[in-house]
Amino acid sequence: MTQQVKHFIDGEFVAPTGDKLIAVTNPATQDVIAQVACATAAEMERAIESAKAAFLTWKEVPVSERARLMMRFAHLLKEHQGEIADIICRELGKTVEDAKGDVWRGIEVVEQAANIPSLMMGETVENVARSIDTYSYIQPLGVCAGITPFNFPAMIPLWMFPMAIACGNTFILKPSEQDPMTVNKIAELFVQAGAPKGVLQVVHGAKEQVDAILHHPDIKAISFVGSVNVGQYIYKTGTDNLKRVQAFAGAKNHMVIMPDANKQQVVNALVGASVGAAGQRCMAISVAVFVGAAADWIPEVAAAIGKVRPGVYTDPNAAYGPQISPQARARVLSLIEQGKKEGATCVLDGSDCKVDGYPNGNWVGPTVFSNVTTDMEIYKQEIFGPVLTTMQVGSLAEALKVVNDSPYGNGTSIFTASGAAARKYQHEVEVGQVGINIPIPVPLPFFSFTGWKGSFYGDQHAYGKQAVRFYTETKTITARWFDDDIPVSGPNMSINLR
């Protein structure tokens, strides 16, 4: 019998009552491994009401106790890292190493959430006026929600709900319907860690359930990671409903390669950053901009990428897995064909990729284009597959113009031996996350994930100090206490403190 994915509502896993079913398939075989039912309106309402009721008591829990919950949760995630990774492998197709990395980067955010007492410290100034003090407290918002994508089913939910809950909020999580079992396991461990009933809810579904979150008056803030079109929709609809929204959207990340860079380091970095995780990550390097004589390295880059092969997660030699769905594979293949038609040179073509024993898998082989220009669709669109496009420019200034003219600003990197070139690049590039001789500059969670331009809609970013600001309000108190010997003066008819 096919496994039925349950909702996690009001502190328990409950069998779904909805009749709209979505199949969860193994992307290497197309075998149906589970079915997830979209939450009904009644189930959504029950989850939100439970979170609303739990908030009244959870916000009063001392911050040190909330921190200890996160410590226990992080410990359990570490103990079960392999088990969670195995679920990711089965429903998403990642390699074991990649799946474990997915879990580990989430654990790091939970560890940061355990630092919540210091992160929620307010400010104080004594004697802002005579015998008057001002101080501030940081307080939670209420019920918050998260809508997460398929490509990091452990890490991205863990970006969201641990920080929100550590701040004193309660949380509704709507994970991707394409790989929902990972989140359910994480919720199970959160309960084992001692999370009170109603603090976290997990509801499954698709657009209808997202819309319920966007429009419900009791949800105060929404976090989202996904595509550009959906991110814009989430941001516009959520803010129209007077909610706080942080929406992380698409990307087109460039690596600039200077002629003085270490060639072998460049080659190794481009192999992993372009086709790793089947290219299904928003921080993948999909454009390599070679400056001057560095363009001579393109054939060597293509040759190194050509040695990489996809496969199933049980194959220890597989470098990456399949695309998440046949539709995703078809889109990538369509963009590869479009690139050929537009005049780019397909140096390495992975369109006809096959993996022995898995004829039905969503396979796309590593692909490399040269002579790409900014007006081509393979440049303009986020391919989200194992495809690297390469460009050639004459100077760092030209490379900066290419990157800065892009509508996206998630991540970028420069490989160089010149401190001056690196300093100029990091200062002038209009991208939120910059790597210097590091291909994928995702910051550790004591910093924040800071995409710019069309890669992010909102004001405060994920995890780090910005997440605390996103999930809280600041209350400022100005106080004076009267001693008996202080003479009573007349009314103060101005706004001046005195």
Side-chain angles (χ1 to χ4, degrees):
M1 182 178 178
T2 302
Q3 178 181 345
Q4 297 292 320
V5 179
K6 295 182 178 181
H7 306 298
F8 182 65
I9 298 175
D10 201 25
E12 61 182 356
F13 286 98
V14 297
T17 60
D19 56 5
K20 185 177 180 181
L21 302 178
I22 299 173
V24 180
T25 59
N26 180 333
T29 63
Q30 309 310 319
D31 293 339
V32 176
I33 57 177
Q35 284 188 325
V36 59
C38 295
T40 64
E43 288 166 337
M44 293 293 297
E45 188 63 32
R46 182 186 170 206
I48 295 168
E49 284 299 316
S50 172
K52 183 179 177 182
F55 173 68
L56 299 178
T57 53
W58 179 244
K59 69 176 182 176
E60 303 299 339
V61 171
V63 67
S64 56
E65 291 187 28
R66 301 201 300 263
R68 283 191 286 271
L69 169 62
M70 295 303 159
M71 292 178 194
R72 295 191 298 270
F73 184 38
H75 175 72
L76 285 171
L77 288 168
K78 291 171 187 176
E79 280 192 334
H80 294 268
Q81 181 185 8
E83 183 181 354
I84 300 168
D86 182 69
I87 298 171
I88 295 172
C89 291
R90 287 188 288 116
E91 63 180 354
L92 176 54
K94 285 191 177 188
T95 62
V96 174
E97 180 184 9
D98 192 21
K100 286 183 175 180
D102 184 338
V103 181
W104 185 256
R105 293 309 298 261
I107 290 171
E108 290 176 329
V109 179
V110 180
E111 290 175 334
Q112 177 69 359
N115 293 322
I116 200 65
S118 60
L119 294 172
M120 291 193 70
M121 285 183 177
E123 299 172 316
T124 182
V125 175
E126 186 181 41
N127 278 341
V128 295
R130 187 172 298 277
S131 299
I132 297 175
D133 307 322
T134 298
Y135 45 96
S136 64
Y137 294 136
I138 297 174
Q139 296 185 338
L141 296 176
V143 181
C144 301
I147 302 159
T148 59
F150 75 85
N151 58 327
F152 285 94
M155 181 186 74
I156 294 179
L158 290 171
W159 277 10
M160 297 179 184
F161 78 82
M163 292 298 296
I165 290 172
C167 288
N169 303 286
T170 55
F171 205 85
I172 311 289
L173 180 61
K174 206 299 285 182
S176 171
E177 65 277 15
Q178 293 179 289
D179 47 10
M181 297 187 294
T182 299
V183 159
N184 274 22
K185 180 62 184 179
I186 290 171
E188 178 186 316
L189 295 176
F190 196 49
V191 173
Q192 290 182 28
K197 173 182 176 181
V199 168
L200 173 66
Q201 320 277 334
V202 179
V203 290
H204 298 286
K207 183 178 184 299
E208 182 179 346
Q209 289 66 38
V210 169
D211 284 338
I213 289 170
L214 293 173
H215 291 279
H216 201 288
D218 290 330
I219 292 177
K220 306 301 182 185
I222 298 169
S223 302
F224 168 81
V225 177
S227 67
V228 173
N229 290 341
V230 180
Q232 292 174 345
Y233 174 78
I234 296 284
Y235 183 74
K236 290 176 182 177
T237 309
T239 54
D240 281 349
N241 283 281
L242 306 180
K243 303 180 190 305
R244 288 188 185 180
V245 180
Q246 51 177 202
F248 298 84
K252 197 71 179 180
N253 305 315
H254 302 71
M255 179 194 289
V256 172
I257 300 102
M258 300 297 291
D260 63 357
N262 182 302
K263 181 171 67 172
Q264 192 56 53
Q265 293 289 357
V266 167
V267 172
N268 291 343
L270 278 174
V271 171
S274 61
V275 303
Q280 296 177 129
R281 50 189 179 195
C282 66
M283 287 292 288
I285 293 294
S286 56
V287 185
V289 183
F290 290 86
V291 178
D296 295 340
W297 304 347
I298 293 175
E300 292 177 68
V301 170
I305 292 176
K307 295 176 182 177
V308 170
R309 65 178 184 82
V312 294
Y313 74 95
T314 53
D315 179 358
N317 296 315
Y320 63 87
Q323 304 303 118
I324 182 63
S325 67
Q327 294 79 13
R329 175 179 180 270
R331 179 181 176 277
V332 174
L333 295 181
S334 174
L335 283 167
I336 292 173
E337 288 305 307
Q338 181 75 6
K340 296 173 186 175
K341 292 177 183 177
E342 289 177 326
T345 303
C346 191
V347 180
L348 178 67
D349 190 352
S351 299
D352 194 29
C353 178
K354 293 180 174 59
V355 174
D356 290 343
Y358 296 89
N360 298 320
N362 306 320
W363 309 112
V364 178
T367 301
V368 178
F369 281 95
S370 64
N371 300 314
V372 173
T373 57
T374 57
D375 60 340
M376 295 178 179
E377 288 302 309
I378 55 168
Y379 175 80
K380 293 190 291 185
Q381 293 199 39
E382 182 178 26
I383 300 176
F384 227 59
V387 180
L388 176 67
T389 59
T390 68
M391 309 174 69
Q392 304 171 39
V393 297
S395 66
L396 178 58
E398 290 179 60
L400 272 163
K401 185 176 188 316
V402 169
V403 179
N404 288 344
D405 284 348
S406 170
Y408 303 111
N410 218 28
T412 188
S413 64
I414 182 170
F415 272 62
T416 181
S418 167
R423 175 64 173 76
K424 177 180 176 66
Y425 190 76
Q426 73 176 35
H427 180 68
E428 296 184 15
V429 73
E430 296 169 7
V431 175
Q433 296 167 117
V434 182
I436 298 173
N437 298 318
I438 292 174
I440 301 181
V442 177
L444 290 170
F446 27 86
F447 291 90
S448 296
F449 187 97
T450 52
W452 284 13
K453 298 194 291 190
S455 295
F456 177 72
Y457 301 95
D459 301 300
Q460 302 290 348
H461 293 84
Y463 59 78
K465 293 179 181 178
Q466 292 196 35
V468 175
R469 292 196 288 269
F470 179 76
Y471 289 123
T472 60
E473 291 274 24
T474 300
K475 180 181 288 183
T476 305
I477 300 100
T478 302
R480 172 168 59 190
W481 296 96
F482 296 104
D483 291 332
D484 290 342
D485 58 352
I486 294 179
V488 178
S489 59
N492 180 5
M493 304 305 289
S494 76
I495 63 172
N496 294 327
L497 288 173
R498 64 186 186 207

